[in-house]
Amino acid sequence: MTIKSIETGGVRTPNNLFCAPLAGYTDFAFRKLCYSFGAGLCFTEMVSAKGLLYKNEATRALLHKGDGEGQTAAQIFGRDPAILRAACESEDLAAYPVVDLNMGCPVPKVVKNGEGSALLNEPRLAEKIISECKKSGKAITVKFRIGFSQEKKVAAEFAKLCEGAGADLITVHGRTREKYYAGEPDYAQIAAAKRAVAIPVIANGGVFSGADAQKMLDETGADGVMLARAAMYNPHVFAEILGAPPEWDKKAAIEGQIEDMLPFYGEKFTLVQMRKMTAFYVRGMRGCAAYRSRLFSAESIAELRTLLDEIFSEGRAQE
């Protein structure tokens, strides 16, 4: 893949491999791991602007930033321009020089509130949101899908709208809302968005390897790629795309996440989170399918660590 830095509203990233905002996954400890493997820019989990307005502690916790993260961007969502601007200007986002506006989330509970990808159907409101948030002085990026439905793809038009409203960078997910995460991304729509604007365009969707990343760049002309599920299953994918061999010390990575999370989240949340992350990371290792049920029934961090010792004791190789 062609590697280059990206300029985003005065913030320069070391490369053009971005980690997507992933609800339930991209907490500060996971982002730290991705940065250690070479990710150029990571995003927080999707954060409710209204939740920040009402000082919701669970919402605010999503913005916790750890040491060694790099230039993390915060992603927020909502539909009220004034509330979204207030979130950008709040103390909660003071540590984040880049704020990403979510206009692509496809899940029903978000869409029914007129948020996420529902904003693709309200271009004037989307434009107002971007222009208001830009007044905060933050670098503003926008993540959106190529359309709400297969019958109405609007990637180029929406890209121009974002640029005109002041966005510094856009990320285009190459699927419509109705497609969720299924099927091959629509390279032509991403390419049309790229041709329509002068600001950087990051392509998202279906990138799981270096070959996928290069194909995405070749097909779309985009400035970089954003990895989502690939990073969730294998955060080392950033290093692999940058030229590192595929082997990585999974046990050390898991232990590192546990150690980072425990002081902030406590044992209960850390255990639940790391049971599922461990299941992702050891997937494909010889004999590890037998450990899956034991992983999800572990009742303490100590029990989880005992399982890790068993899983990695024989140096099981990747299959």
Side-chain angles (χ1 to χ4, degrees):
M1 174 183 159
T2 305
I3 303 298
K4 65 178 183 179
S5 63
I6 300 288
E7 177 76 27
T8 309
V11 175
R12 181 169 290 279
T13 68
N15 62 54
N16 51 346
L17 289 173
F18 290 6
C19 181
L22 296 165
Y25 295 96
T26 51
D27 58 59
F28 73 97
F30 179 79
R31 298 192 303 263
K32 178 181 176 181
L33 183 60
C34 291
Y35 279 126
S36 75
F37 290 141
L41 184 67
C42 296
F43 293 72
T44 68
E45 299 178 57
M46 187 173 70
V47 175
S48 167
K50 191 174 289 186
L52 294 179
L53 176 69
Y54 293 114
K55 308 298 183 183
N56 181 278
E57 289 305 316
T59 301
R60 299 173 88 179
L62 297 174
L63 290 169
H64 180 71
K65 194 172 183 181
D67 296 332
E69 275 200 55
Q71 300 177 122
T72 300
Q75 191 192 65
I76 61 175
F77 74 100
R79 64 176 280 108
D80 186 311
I83 292 176
L84 285 157
R85 177 180 173 180
C88 291
E89 295 173 341
S90 71
E91 184 63 28
D92 294 302
L93 292 182
Y96 294 92
V98 179
V99 177
D100 187 67
L101 303 176
N102 184 306
M103 297 188 180
C105 181
V107 301
K109 69 178 182 179
V110 172
V111 172
K112 73 178 182 181
N113 290 329
E115 301 165 336
S117 59
L119 291 166
L120 293 167
N121 292 327
E122 297 187 75
R124 290 185 180 179
L125 177 58
E127 185 175 36
K128 179 66 173 175
I129 288 170
I130 297 165
S131 62
E132 280 298 305
C133 289
K134 186 61 181 174
K135 293 174 185 176
S136 70
K138 299 280 189 180
I140 299 297
T141 67
V142 185
K143 188 172 188 289
F144 64 90
R145 287 173 174 257
I146 60 173
F148 195 81
S149 67
Q150 292 296 101
E151 291 70 37
K152 189 178 180 183
K153 296 179 180 179
V154 296
E157 301 95 309
F158 207 81
K160 285 189 285 187
L161 176 153
C162 291
E163 182 180 46
D168 297 289
L169 173 148
I170 57 174
T171 300
V172 185
H173 184 142
R175 301 183 180 94
T176 61
R177 184 263 170 172
E178 68 182 19
K179 284 288 188 179
Y180 277 68
Y181 306 101
E184 189 173 46
D186 189 328
Y187 300 111
Q189 280 288 307
I190 301 175
K194 171 59 184 172
R195 291 194 299 270
V197 297
I199 57 176
V201 175
I202 306 300
N204 174 226
V207 177
F208 289 89
S209 66
D212 292 337
Q214 190 61 58
K215 180 180 180 181
M216 179 65 84
L217 294 182
D218 291 342
E219 294 283 344
T220 67
D223 299 285
V225 297
M226 179 178 282
L227 282 66
R229 287 172 294 165
M232 186 171 72
Y233 299 142
N234 173 26
H236 191 256
V237 68
F238 296 102
E240 293 165 23
I241 293 174
L242 290 169
E247 295 78 21
W248 54 294
D249 191 336
K250 295 182 179 182
K251 185 180 181 184
I254 295 166
E255 289 283 7
Q257 277 187 265
I258 291 172
E259 289 302 315
D260 286 334
M261 294 176 72
L262 272 174
F264 182 75
Y265 290 117
E267 179 159 358
K268 184 177 179 181
F269 181 88
T270 301
L271 177 64
V272 171
Q273 185 74 353
M274 291 312 299
R275 286 188 308 203
K276 67 180 180 181
M277 299 310 295
T278 299
F280 286 149
Y281 299 164
V282 303
R283 190 177 61 168
M285 290 177 62
R286 189 183 310 121
C288 286
Y291 284 94
R292 185 175 178 83
S293 62
R294 292 177 63 192
L295 277 171
F296 284 101
S297 62
E299 296 183 351
S300 68
I301 292 295
E303 187 177 346
L304 177 60
R305 283 175 164 151
T306 297
L307 280 170
L308 291 176
D309 288 340
E310 291 185 36
I311 291 170
F312 292 99
S313 64
E314 298 174 15
R316 292 178 175 85
Q318 296 277 354
E319 291 190 323

